Amino acid sequence: MKNTRLWIADSEVSYADAFREYVNLRKSHLFQVQMCTEPEQFEKVLSSEEIEILLISVRWFEMLKDFIRNECVILLSEGSVPKELGSYPTVYKYQSSENILREIMYYYSEQDEEEYYTQTHRDNQVIGVYSPSEGVRKNQFALTLGQILAEDRNVLYLNLEECSGFSEILCESHWNLSDLIYYLRQNKTSFLYRLNSMVRKMDRLDYIPPCESYTDFCQITVEEWQRLLHLIRTQSAYDFIILDLGNLTGHEADLLRQCSGIYVLTERDIISQGRVEQWEGHIRTSDGMDILEKLQRLELPNCITELCGEEDLRMLPQQKLGYYVRELLQE
């Protein structure tokens, strides 16, 4: 895997050094960051080094713009930017390194440069969580499972429900799964950068905010979902991808085939049991024995947690459901 060369050019030594250290220690290893804090020295760098992304202060750019050629230039702003530089992508300097990096990946993915990541088989797993009779408890189980696995592995949680409601309790984001699918439709090549620009974190668990528009969701085809999964599996560093599935307008069977393991949740009452039996019967008659072989039915303990905010989601592994999931994973 080739690391993209990212240079930060800014006079504030402690700032540049802290950003370089933060990025170079990340697990994803998308970038190799180098820094320069002297304008005269950077003139030489521009003439002798290969630079793919240049994160440069506005003042430095105005001094050195005649020496800058083909780099992807992103301005590091402390506030306002001169009107004549308004066409350049800009990130605000005094925000978290995580947010700055996310914006850099977004802008770089727009460049549509040559793809550096080969689509090779990786030793990762897709785990499906589904229920024809459960809703909130299914969500809580999937999030608890993802957070526990993420304690020592790289895990991505994807909610593929038509109406998840998570946008009301998760932190706001400019982008969600609909935007990622739209990016794929444009056949651009820098998928991994766009994926990472959209990833949010719930402690150690990565997730992409789910679709907000029911109309947009219904327009996503099964082939697009499958392509998304394929690219995540072959290009990212995730060990597990958790699929929290809804009815997917009839696509759930096609995506369950992508899973190495499937948890199907049910209650003990006869209606819930009947729904699962009916669904399994449908899968069986639809030539889905390969799905049923990977399926594990679960009757969750009576441990639903009232969720009032994002912090409650983060605490799920410490609740009764968390102890249940840990025992399940040890079996």
Side-chain angles (χ1 to χ4, degrees):
M1 182 179 291
K2 176 182 178 295
N3 291 343
T4 300
R5 295 180 180 87
L6 166 62
W7 278 80
I8 178 170
D10 186 83
S11 299
E12 191 173 340
V13 178
S14 59
Y15 179 90
D17 189 54
F19 180 78
R20 178 182 63 175
E21 182 178 4
Y22 173 81
V23 177
N24 286 344
L25 290 177
R26 281 175 60 91
K27 293 181 293 186
S28 59
H29 302 297
L30 286 179
F31 298 110
Q32 178 188 7
V33 179
Q34 294 177 272
M35 59 180 274
C36 189
T37 56
E38 297 290 338
E40 295 78 12
Q41 179 187 359
F42 199 58
E43 282 187 38
K44 299 178 181 178
V45 169
L46 287 169
S47 62
S48 61
E49 298 287 339
E50 180 182 353
I51 300 175
E52 292 167 284
I53 304 177
L54 174 57
L55 182 63
I56 185 170
S57 69
V58 173
R59 185 171 63 86
W60 277 39
F61 182 75
E62 290 177 313
M63 288 190 297
L64 300 171
K65 59 184 177 182
D66 292 338
F67 299 94
I68 297 172
R69 295 292 181 263
N70 300 320
E71 296 81 11
C72 171
V73 175
I74 301 174
L75 301 181
L76 191 60
S77 166
E78 298 184 20
S80 60
V81 174
K83 184 179 297 185
E84 61 270 20
L85 301 181
S87 61
Y88 288 92
T90 304
V91 300
Y92 179 60
K93 180 176 180 178
Y94 299 114
Q95 59 177 320
S96 70
S97 296
E98 181 69 25
N99 285 341
I100 291 175
L101 188 57
R102 187 178 292 120
E103 292 184 41
I104 290 172
M105 289 187 287
Y106 177 84
Y107 290 130
Y108 188 62
S109 69
E110 286 291 286
Q111 301 299 306
D112 199 27
E113 299 292 342
E114 178 184 356
E115 181 58 73
Y116 296 120
Y117 297 88
T118 57
Q119 297 192 9
T120 58
H121 175 74
R122 294 181 57 84
D123 185 20
N124 49 29
Q125 297 182 49
V126 179
I127 300 176
V129 181
Y130 178 73
S131 175
S133 62
E134 281 291 312
V136 175
R137 279 159 52 97
K138 176 181 66 70
N139 298 143
Q140 292 192 12
F141 174 84
L143 284 168
T144 304
L145 174 67
Q147 289 185 80
I148 290 174
L149 288 173
E151 290 174 353
D152 56 7
R153 307 297 290 273
N154 297 328
V155 184
L156 178 66
Y157 168 84
L158 297 178
N159 183 289
L160 305 189
E161 294 179 305
E162 303 90 327
C163 183
S164 70
F166 279 1
S167 59
E168 303 301 319
I169 54 177
L170 296 173
C171 61
E172 293 184 1
S173 172
H174 296 298
W175 308 300
N176 58 48
L177 268 174
S178 297
D179 300 299
L180 187 55
I181 293 293
Y182 177 74
Y183 181 83
L184 291 182
R185 288 171 180 164
Q186 299 177 69
N187 292 316
K188 292 190 175 183
T189 57
S190 301
F191 168 78
L192 193 54
Y193 292 95
R194 181 56 63 97
L195 171 71
N196 280 274
S197 75
M198 294 184 176
V199 164
R200 314 294 293 192
K201 284 192 173 292
M202 188 180 297
D203 287 337
R204 296 182 181 180
L205 175 66
D206 287 359
Y207 70 92
I208 298 176
C211 299
E212 294 184 5
S213 167
Y214 179 79
T215 301
D216 289 347
F217 180 90
C218 291
Q219 291 175 349
I220 301 173
T221 66
V222 63
E223 290 79 15
E224 289 173 328
W225 288 122
Q226 290 171 331
R227 184 184 178 205
L228 175 64
L229 271 179
H230 173 73
L231 289 174
I232 293 173
R233 294 196 70 181
T234 56
Q235 295 191 12
S236 75
Y238 290 112
D239 302 305
F240 291 95
I241 299 103
I242 307 292
L243 299 186
D244 191 349
L245 295 161
N247 292 321
L248 283 170
T249 61
H251 297 334
E252 74 275 6
D254 298 290
L255 289 184
L256 288 172
R257 281 196 168 88
Q258 311 296 314
C259 300
S260 51
I262 305 165
Y263 294 116
V264 174
L265 277 54
T266 184
E267 293 275 10
R268 295 181 180 179
D269 65 277
I270 59 173
I271 294 179
S272 297
Q273 294 286 341
R275 287 179 177 177
V276 173
E277 291 289 349
Q278 181 178 346
W279 176 77
E280 288 187 9
H282 166 70
I283 295 296
R284 189 176 294 107
T285 58
S286 302
D287 196 25
M289 290 303 299
D290 57 324
I291 296 175
L292 297 180
E293 289 173 357
K294 298 181 288 186
L295 185 152
Q296 182 176 355
R297 272 205 208 188
L298 295 179
E299 293 182 4
L300 297 184
N302 186 20
C303 54
I304 191 167
T305 301
E306 182 178 351
L307 301 176
C308 299
E310 185 174 350
E311 186 58 31
D312 294 325
L313 295 176
R314 297 176 186 272
M315 292 301 296
L316 283 171
Q318 282 71 55
Q319 306 298 323
K320 185 177 179 180
L321 181 57
Y323 297 120
Y324 171 82
V325 171
R326 292 182 194 278
E327 291 180 0
L328 179 69
L329 292 175
Q330 290 176 358
E331 293 179 359

